[in-house]
Amino acid sequence: MSVARRIGSRAGFTILELLLALGLLAIVAQKTFVMLTAASKATATDTSALVLEEKARRVLQQVAMTIMSADRDSLVPGVEAPLDTDALRFKVHLGVENGEVVWSEPEEIVQKGQKVVWRSYVATEKERHITWTNLVAPFLEGEIPNGMDDNGNGVIDEKGLSFEVDRSAVTIRLTLAQAAGEGDERLQTVETVVTCRNLQEAKE
Amino acid sequence: MRETHLHGRAHRAHPGRRGSALAMSLVAASSVAILSAGFLQLSSAVTRRQAGAIENRQAFYMAEAGLGEAFNAVHIGRSGQIGSMSEPAAFGGGFFWVDSAPTPEGDIRLECTGMAGSGRATLELLVTPVQEDVALLGVFSEEALDVDGELLIDGFDSQHGEYVEQAGGEPEPAACDDPDECLKALEKYELEVAKLNADIDEKLAKVAADLAASLAPLDGYLSGGYDDDDDDDDDDDDYRKALEYQRLYRAKYAEDVAKLEAEREKKLGEELKSLRDKSCDACDAGVATAPVAPALNGFGRQLVDIDVDVLRDDFLDVQVPLADGAEPVGVQLDVPQDAPSDEETFGTHTGSGGLLGSNGPITLGTDGVTQIEIHGDVEPGSGTDLTAGGSVYVAGDTDARDEPVELPPIQVPNVAGMPALKHDGPVPMVLPAGDVGFESIEVAENAVLVVRGPARVVAGSFTLLAGAEVEFDTTDGQVDLFVTGAVNMVPGSYVETTQPDPSQLTLQVSGVDADGADPSVVLEAESQFYGTIYSPDAGVSVGASFEVYGALIAHSLDLAPGVRLHFDNAYSAKGSTLPDIVAWSVSEVPAAVRGGNDPMQRIGADRGDLRLPADAHVLDEVLINVEYVDDTGAVCDFVGPESEFDWDGVRSVIESRRVLIGSRALRNEGDRGSAAAGGATSSMPGSPSSPDSGGDQNWDWSDVDWEALWDPWSDYKYSQNDGA
């Protein structure tokens, strides 16, 4: 009986063992936490960057496809480098009726604050608009409003959405900005050149 | 016993602590698994979205490539239909098909759907097959063309300098230093020339009158005719004598005329030369180098022509020689002849490049004496011939056209209409650049109207009275004058063009001649007109003083004796044969192919069975007329149904036409667009092929009335020749 009780009292760990074990566990846990936090942060950063890039490309694609369908002669304003515009008005081909090409009422793609907005039936009672994104940077990446071409793309003080027209070709530049925590900002810039496929004079 | 006790205690651990380690392990493992699954899903979603975006872009490029292939097909005269929804063309890592449908307006609607992975894109292109520039017709009459007066047609190339340089003439002289002296000298010279001409003309008229008086008594002998079979030999003898006298009188007349013309030339070249040399080259250029006596070209020639007609009508069967080198009427010209006129008749010319055509037969100078020179090709209408007299010279081919030419209607611009413009003031009136329309335009005597390009001017009618002048200033741009009614430029009026570039000026008349009425377009002004004259529904009367450099296309042509027309060969170099792109747009993807990652599974086709785009062009149930160069370099023709034509043997297409006549009537309504069920945008009403027809295999050719379809080609043929 006493032997069993003695044996039972000896079961368990000494305080030293426990302290040692707890210490090791704390170190491992802390390291694991740090590692997981870093991995999570990195993953979140990558994912966020990917998502932002995807968003930028999607918006750019929408803008590009719309401009491609536009009538070149209807582009307003038709500015060329070093001038640009953050709003482009145009008409798109709707179809053919009685042998005549039917063109839409004026449409517009414009930067309004942090938004890229597509407007149809511009300046009419039926005007409606759709926001394609609300992440547009005030100015294109690398550009500050100082009357100079800071980012070396040939255009001065261009906005986050920038159109540059060269005959039938339209250069579209877009910078999206997203908060990255701790006051940081993540920027994603995309650019493409498209050609207006329609010319009203071709039918006339 | 002790160990047994210990073991016994271990098995009897506290029930609440049993399996806790396993549970903790499971919780930990589950957490890790859930975290991993979350990351994996997130990563997959991102990857999938990126892949989807890439495949959508690939599909877009597929559709663009398909439209490009179809566009080129339309360019060479094919329908543009490539593959079908059930049997698309394989291209790169994806597929596409193109539906082609003609519109009532003559355009072609191409709709291409591209598929790549999960990506889908449908694009639509509306194109207008380019019509051959009507200016390429040269001098053309839609109706039969009959020319009895002197005529010169040659060609030049405005891109290679002015006509006078290409004709071997002297270039434009430098400006005059002392116009007053020159004018005095010129006036004196012209006075002397006028006196000389009047003297010679009087003598010529007398000779012609003598000839007429000599021939008149012979009419009684000649009117009885010649009959070798009857018994009246006296009458026949008288007839032969009369003929002999007639020939003698005509020979005497020709001899006298030659003497008088030689006298004129001698005095002009020697006695009056010193007078002329006193004027400078610039002023001298305005003086005719060889003044022609009006009386000779009118009175004298008319008398001779009357007699020639009598001889021709009555004695053709005895082969009486009509004139030196003349041939009987109705005999086709063997070309090229080797007897072009000397320069005295028409002055210098380029000797090549001319083009005269018609949708009907062409008859030239059948009287045998009228000097007509065509330094180039003559193209009578399909199924007709050229008939020419012995004094007609044609340098090029005289083959009939393969098919009639359809003159397209004029698209008169819709410009703001203004009241009638009647200018009769002494100050020149300038119509500035831009578009303007008038109820009518009339320029009175001594008034000058300047039309400054670039401009489009529309007028209900256009009239130049004697002494009036209109100047087309194309220095800064093209001028297009549209007249919806009559054009009347009377003799003594003047038309000037500032630039020697015919492509910068067009006179387009959309008016229509009343039945049996005279041509409503009268061009008898003094002019060296550099431009294109196009009057598809009204006849055009051209005076000898109206010299055209460019092209002249009309419903009918009435050419005065002495007309000179110079076809600008630069038209062929300037015209683009690419179809015009009317509109491009993004369309809705057909519902039948939306969704799914595997396009082949979606459309139920086998990837191995698909053809490349070049092999997937649908041979439509249309008639085609193709002139092409085959693999061996030989120029070949094909006329017939496209399904019988092997496009693989074509290296390049020179010219092609396709006729969709009857294709809609042949179509089975039930087949049309059946594969596009549910796809609002994929149904192609009026398409030459239903989207899933895969060519002509679904057609029953046995019911086709080919005879009805051959029109406007009267002769259906499948011919190949190796002639270059």
Side-chain angles (χ1 to χ4, degrees):
Chain A
M1 180 69 180
S2 62
V3 172
R5 196 173 289 160
R6 192 165 56 246
I7 292 172
S9 66
R10 289 172 63 191
F13 301 99
T14 66
I15 190 68
L16 184 63
E17 290 172 335
L18 281 174
L19 287 174
L20 194 62
L22 286 173
L24 287 173
L25 187 62
I27 292 170
V28 169
Q30 191 265 341
K31 293 291 182 190
T32 305
F33 179 76
V34 170
M35 187 185 72
L36 283 175
T37 304
S40 172
K41 197 173 179 179
T43 304
T45 303
D46 290 347
T47 304
S48 180
L50 283 173
V51 170
L52 188 64
E53 182 182 357
E54 187 191 334
K55 280 182 182 175
R57 294 210 174 278
R58 191 178 297 172
V59 174
L60 186 73
Q61 183 78 357
Q62 271 182 305
V63 175
M65 294 294 281
T66 309
I67 298 296
M68 286 167 74
S69 301
D71 165 34
R72 162 66 186 90
D73 294 333
S74 69
L75 295 183
V76 178
V79 293
E80 298 185 6
L83 301 176
D84 74 316
T85 178
D86 61 349
L88 202 58
R89 194 171 291 192
F90 52 85
K91 293 179 181 178
V92 298
H93 162 246
L94 296 181
V96 177
E97 190 173 314
N98 297 326
E100 296 292 327
V101 177
V102 180
W103 299 96
S104 70
E105 292 295 319
E107 298 183 3
E108 187 178 57
I109 298 173
V110 59
Q111 178 180 357
K112 282 192 166 183
Q114 290 183 298
K115 295 179 180 177
V116 169
V117 180
W118 169 78
R119 303 165 66 202
S120 61
Y121 295 99
V122 176
T124 67
E125 291 180 351
K126 293 194 291 182
E127 178 173 326
R128 61 194 179 98
H129 66 269
I130 295 174
T131 300
W132 283 346
T133 183
N134 53 8
L135 297 173
V136 186
F139 291 91
L140 205 69
E141 186 174 4
E143 193 72 27
I144 54 175
N146 58 0
M148 298 173 64
D149 178 18
D150 302 296
N151 53 15
N153 62 4
V155 186
I156 296 170
D157 292 351
E158 65 273 24
K159 298 287 183 59
L161 174 65
S162 166
F163 298 104
E164 181 188 327
V165 181
D166 181 10
R167 292 185 292 275
S168 293
V170 179
T171 302
I172 309 166
R173 300 183 180 92
L174 175 69
T175 295
L176 296 189
Q178 194 174 38
E182 299 178 1
D184 290 341
E185 189 176 50
R186 180 173 300 110
L187 297 176
Q188 181 63 54
T189 300
V190 287
E191 176 179 337
T192 189
V193 180
V194 297
T195 303
C196 295
R197 307 301 176 91
N198 293 311
L199 284 174
Q200 278 191 32
E201 64 182 24
K203 183 64 181 173
E204 291 175 351
Chain B
M1 182 65 188
R2 186 176 172 182
E3 291 177 0
T4 303
H5 178 74
L6 285 174
H7 282 289
R9 282 183 62 87
H11 280 288
R12 287 193 298 273
H14 193 279
R17 293 169 62 186
R18 284 183 189 166
S20 60
L22 179 60
M24 289 175 65
S25 299
L26 284 174
V27 168
S30 300
S31 301
V32 171
I34 290 170
L35 279 173
S36 300
F39 279 123
L40 190 63
Q41 196 168 11
L42 181 64
S43 174
S44 299
V46 172
T47 305
R48 203 164 44 243
R49 281 205 300 270
Q50 289 178 330
I54 291 171
E55 286 172 345
N56 271 330
R57 206 168 302 160
Q58 287 178 334
F60 175 81
Y61 292 140
M62 289 287 166
E64 285 270 78
L67 282 184
E69 181 78 17
F71 182 83
N72 278 322
V74 172
H75 171 45
I76 63 171
R78 309 187 69 171
S79 68
Q81 180 86 23
I82 302 174
S84 64
M85 184 185 293
S86 59
E87 198 176 346
F91 182 64
F95 317 93
F96 69 75
W97 77 91
V98 183
D99 291 329
S100 168
T103 69
E105 294 76 28
D107 297 332
I108 295 178
R109 178 174 167 241
L110 304 171
E111 189 179 79
C112 180
T113 299
M115 305 170 72
S118 62
R120 309 282 187 272
T122 300
L123 301 177
E124 182 184 323
L125 187 67
L126 191 66
V127 298
T128 302
V130 72
Q131 289 183 325
E132 198 173 69
D133 188 354
V134 290
L136 291 171
L137 295 171
V139 179
F140 185 85
S141 170
E142 189 173 25
E143 290 193 340
L145 181 61
D146 190 352
V147 181
D148 283 332
E150 289 87 352
L151 170 66
L152 170 75
I153 294 179
D154 63 355
F156 73 111
D157 190 333
S158 60
Q159 291 183 327
H160 296 152
E162 294 189 29
Y163 171 84
V164 65
E165 297 169 4
Q166 296 173 44
E170 295 294 328
E172 287 291 323
C176 180
D177 293 326
D178 191 348
D180 290 337
E181 278 299 314
C182 278
L183 281 176
K184 285 179 185 174
L186 278 175
E187 281 175 6
K188 192 172 182 182
Y189 170 73
E190 284 175 349
L191 187 64
E192 292 298 323
V193 170
K195 285 180 182 174
L196 172 65
N197 280 335
D199 184 35
I200 299 292
D201 292 345
E202 187 180 352
K203 291 176 180 174
L204 284 171
K206 185 175 182 304
V207 170
D210 290 342
L211 174 63
S214 302
L215 292 178
L218 301 178
D219 283 346
Y221 299 101
L222 294 171
S223 60
Y226 176 83
D227 189 352
D228 208 14
D229 297 326
D230 64 14
D231 297 325
D232 195 348
D233 292 332
D234 290 336
D235 286 347
D236 289 338
D237 285 339
D238 291 339
Y239 174 80
R240 289 194 181 93
K241 288 179 182 175
L243 277 181
E244 187 60 30
Y245 278 119
Q246 189 178 55
R247 294 178 60 183
L248 290 172
Y249 290 144
R250 283 171 49 80
K252 177 76 167 48
Y253 169 77
E255 187 180 339
D256 291 340
V257 168
K259 283 181 181 175
L260 289 169
E261 288 295 347
E263 181 183 347
R264 186 206 306 268
E265 286 300 315
K266 184 180 177 185
K267 291 188 174 179
L268 280 174
E270 296 175 5
E271 298 178 14
L272 299 180
K273 189 172 183 300
S274 57
L275 269 178
R276 187 176 176 180
D277 289 340
K278 291 180 179 177
S279 61
C280 72
D281 290 339
C283 297
D284 209 8
V287 180
T289 53
V292 179
L296 175 64
N297 282 342
F299 178 66
R301 179 62 57 84
Q302 191 178 10
L303 284 177
V304 176
D305 286 346
I306 290 171
D307 287 331
V308 169
D309 288 340
V310 171
L311 288 171
R312 176 196 306 143
D313 294 338
D314 291 346
F315 313 117
L316 189 62
D317 53 345
V318 292
Q319 296 294 305
V320 177
L322 304 178
D324 292 339
E327 290 189 12
V329 179
V331 177
Q332 277 199 50
L333 185 69
D334 293 328
V335 292
Q337 291 196 331
D338 53 358
S341 70
D342 56 32
E343 293 185 354
E344 288 183 359
T345 305
F346 296 112
T348 57
H349 52 72
T350 61
S352 63
L355 178 60
L356 175 66
S358 173
N359 271 349
I362 296 178
T363 306
L364 300 176
T366 51
D367 59 8
V369 295
T370 304
Q371 196 73 36
I372 293 179
E373 296 181 18
I374 312 297
H375 296 277
D377 297 339
V378 176
E379 295 181 342
S382 174
T384 67
D385 293 318
L386 163 68
T387 305
S391 58
V392 174
Y393 170 71
V394 178
D397 295 333
T398 58
D399 298 337
R401 299 186 68 89
D402 291 335
E403 57 192 84
V405 177
E406 186 177 348
L407 298 181
I410 294 173
Q411 303 291 330
V412 180
N414 185 18
V415 299
M418 298 179 68
L421 170 66
K422 184 173 182 179
H423 176 49
D424 54 3
V427 180
M429 174 182 283
V430 178
L431 292 183
D435 294 350
V436 64
F438 295 98
E439 192 177 315
S440 64
I441 295 178
E442 179 179 316
V443 185
E445 184 179 1
N446 298 326
V448 178
L449 175 68
V450 179
V451 182
R452 193 155 287 164
R456 292 189 302 175
V457 180
V458 180
S461 63
F462 189 88
T463 305
L464 293 183
L465 301 180
E469 179 180 340
V470 64
E471 177 183 316
F472 295 103
D473 184 356
T474 57
T475 307
D476 296 327
Q478 182 170 334
V479 173
D480 298 307
L481 173 59
F482 297 88
V483 182
T484 57
V487 175
N488 192 12
M489 300 178 180
V490 303
S493 59
Y494 301 91
V495 177
E496 285 193 15
T497 53
T498 57
Q499 303 296 317
D501 181 359
S503 67
Q504 293 297 299
L505 175 62
T506 65
L507 168 59
Q508 303 183 46
V509 184
S510 61
V512 181
D513 280 346
D515 288 340
D518 290 335
S520 56
V521 181
V522 178
L523 308 176
E524 294 181 344
E526 301 276 344
S527 178
Q528 291 197 318
F529 185 90
Y530 282 84
T532 303
I533 299 166
Y534 183 53
S535 175
D537 298 312
V540 175
S541 174
V542 183
S545 58
F546 197 91
E547 193 167 1
V548 176
Y549 299 79
L552 170 60
I553 301 98
H555 180 66
S556 64
L557 279 176
D558 180 11
L559 305 176
V563 166
R564 294 165 55 94
L565 305 170
H566 317 287
F567 172 50
D568 184 7
N569 297 165
Y571 286 122
S572 55
K574 290 174 182 173
S576 167
T577 56
L578 286 176
D580 291 330
I581 295 177
V582 179
W584 179 97
S585 60
V586 181
S587 293
E588 194 176 350
V589 175
V593 295
R594 288 182 205 151
N597 285 329
D598 184 0
M600 297 314 301
Q601 190 180 9
R602 198 77 186 92
I603 61 177
D606 186 354
R607 188 182 299 262
D609 294 339
L610 299 186
R611 294 167 294 179
L612 294 173
D615 302 323
H617 286 268
V618 173
L619 299 177
D620 275 313
E621 45 290 323
V622 296
L623 306 177
I624 60 171
N625 183 352
V626 186
E627 183 182 8
Y628 63 99
V629 179
D630 69 7
D631 290 336
T632 64
V635 177
C636 308
D637 298 316
F638 174 84
V639 180
E642 186 180 16
S643 58
E644 292 183 9
F645 183 61
D646 180 14
W647 285 93
D648 291 338
V650 178
R651 179 191 295 175
S652 63
V653 173
I654 300 171
E655 185 178 8
S656 69
R657 296 176 188 274
R658 55 195 298 114
V659 177
L660 297 172
I661 297 172
S663 61
R664 288 183 202 170
L666 295 168
R667 180 171 304 287
N668 183 339
E669 288 291 332
D671 289 340
R672 185 188 299 167
S674 58
T681 59
S682 59
S683 178
M684 304 288 288
S687 168
S689 290
S690 57
D692 62 342
S693 67
D696 65 323
Q697 63 268 31
N698 294 341
W699 291 77
D700 182 5
W701 292 92
S702 60
D703 294 335
V704 176
D705 181 4
W706 290 112
E707 290 299 324
L709 295 175
W710 297 140
D711 187 42
W713 300 320
S714 56
D715 53 339
Y716 166 52
K717 58 183 178 182
Y718 177 90
S719 62
Q720 284 197 320
N721 63 68
D722 56 359

